[in-house]
Amino acid sequence: FRSLTPPGLGSAILCLGATAGFAGWALRVAALFTAQANFTHQVAEYKVPSHQLVSSGVYRCCRHPGYVGWFAWSVSTQLVLGNIFCLAAFALVSWRFFSRRIPHEEAALLGIFGAAYRDYAAKTPCGLPYISSL
């Protein structure tokens, strides 16, 4: 990949990848600390008393900052490595994973929080394009 770039551009791509990777990691960590106990790796199907709809902090910017951060980090690692094939593959596979997970998660959130989640979704973007129908 770097051999295909004009001289001097390889360093710019490396810096872009490193910056995007760090930003993605930071966004995911911020989502984890903002949501605290509400941030899990399993989609909750039922509300428990400790569940809260988190819409503050990084969740004001997008509904799924942890996923956006992971996506940015994942894809940007391939910029750092200069691997154009894996850049495309990581972007495709990651987007496909989230295109299945986010609608499932949002259906569960609608079931748990109802109108409160619908109102939040109406004013806050998903974060990843062409995934959510809310």
Side-chain angles (χ1 to χ4, degrees), residues 92-113:
L92 178 66
V93 170
S94 297
W95 186 89
R96 188 173 169 131
F97 170 78
F98 290 123
S99 73
R100 291 182 174 146
R101 182 172 178 104
I102 287 174
H104 171 72
E105 183 172 320
E106 290 191 331
L109 289 165
L110 282 169
I112 292 170
F113 296 109

Side-chain angles (χ1 to χ4, degrees), residues 4-94:
L4 301 175
T5 60
L9 194 56
S11 296
I13 291 172
L14 175 66
C15 288
L16 173 67
T19 301
F22 180 75
W25 170 82
L27 181 60
R28 184 161 174 83
V29 169
L32 186 142
F33 281 103
T34 301
Q36 297 177 1
N38 294 290
F39 189 103
T40 65
H41 292 96
Q42 295 182 5
V43 175
E45 301 290 334
Y46 305 99
K47 186 174 186 339
V48 296
S50 63
H51 282 164
Q52 298 175 14
L53 177 58
V54 179
S55 58
S56 61
V58 293
Y59 288 86
R60 283 190 316 245
C61 302
C62 67
R63 296 191 308 270
H64 303 285
Y67 296 159
V68 173
W70 191 92
F71 184 88
W73 170 82
S74 167
V75 173
S76 66
T77 59
Q78 300 313 303
L79 279 175
V80 170
L81 295 173
N83 189 330
I84 195 165
F85 173 77
C86 285
L87 174 72
F90 274 47
L92 178 66
V93 170
S94 297

